[in-house]
Amino acid sequence: MEDCLFCKIISGEIPSSKVYEDDEIYAFRDIEPQAPVHAVIVPKTHISSANGITPENSRAVAAIFEKIPAIARELGVDESGYRIVNNCGADAGQTVMHLHFHLLGGTQGGKLY
Ligand code: AMP
Ligand code: ZN
C-alpha cells in the first residue's frame, strides 16, 4: 500500500524502533507512548482495520497473538501485566488504517471497563 504509514515502517522507508520482526509480523515502539511500555504490533500484510479480517488473511492475526507473550517478555511486562488494544474505525479513534494492536504496560491502571 503506497500511502500507508505502517507499510512504510515495515519496509523501512520510515524508521522505527523495532521490538520484534518475523516473516508475518512487525512490532515497534509507539512514537507517542500512552504508557511506560507502549508497542504497536502489525501484520506485514496490509489489512485496513479489524473490519478487514477474513478467513483468507486471519493467519497474520493469529501470528500476532502467538507472539504477544514473547513480545511482552521482551518488553519486561509479561509478569506485571499488560493490555492489548485495537481501535477500529472513527468512533474508536483509529488514526492509521493498517490493522494494529497496541501493547500497553508499566502502569497499574486496572481494568478500563
Ligand atoms: P491508532 O490511533 O489506534 O490508529 O494508533 C496509531 C498509533 O500509531 C498511535 O498510537 C501513534 O502514536 C502511532 N504512530 C504514528 N506514527 C508513528 C510512527 N512513525 N512511529 C511509531 N508510532 C507511530
Ligand atoms: Zn499498510
Side-chain angles (χ1 to χ4, degrees), residues 1 4-8 10 44-47 97-98:
M1 283 293 283
C4 173
L5 175 68
F6 287 171
C7 282
K8 288 179 179 169
I10 293 162
K44 284 192 169 176
T45 177
H46 181 90
I47 301 170
M97 294 306 288
H98 180 128

Side-chain angles (χ1 to χ4, degrees), residues 5-6 9 28-32 87 93-96 100 102:
L5 175 68
F6 287 171
I9 284 179
F28 52 99
R29 303 252 180 198
D30 198 288
I31 205 166
E32 279 183 53
N87 299 317
Q94 183 178 3
T95 57
V96 180
H100 54 281
H102 299 266

Side-chain angles (χ1 to χ4, degrees), residues 35-103:
V37 171
H38 186 176
V40 177
I41 313 170
V42 304
K44 284 192 169 176
T45 177
H46 181 90
I47 301 170
S48 295
S49 75
N51 281 339
I53 299 171
T54 66
E56 287 70 39
N57 65 23
S58 65
R59 168 62 217 161
V61 180
I64 288 174
F65 279 84
E66 286 167 15
K67 279 293 174 302
I68 279 174
I71 294 169
R73 203 177 313 127
E74 173 69 23
L75 294 170
V77 294
D78 56 322
E79 291 189 358
S80 51
Y82 55 91
R83 178 173 291 116
I84 301 295
V85 173
N86 169 255
N87 299 317
C88 179
D91 280 4
Q94 183 178 3
T95 57
V96 180
M97 294 306 288
H98 180 128
L99 178 67
H100 54 281
F101 296 89
H102 299 266
L103 189 159

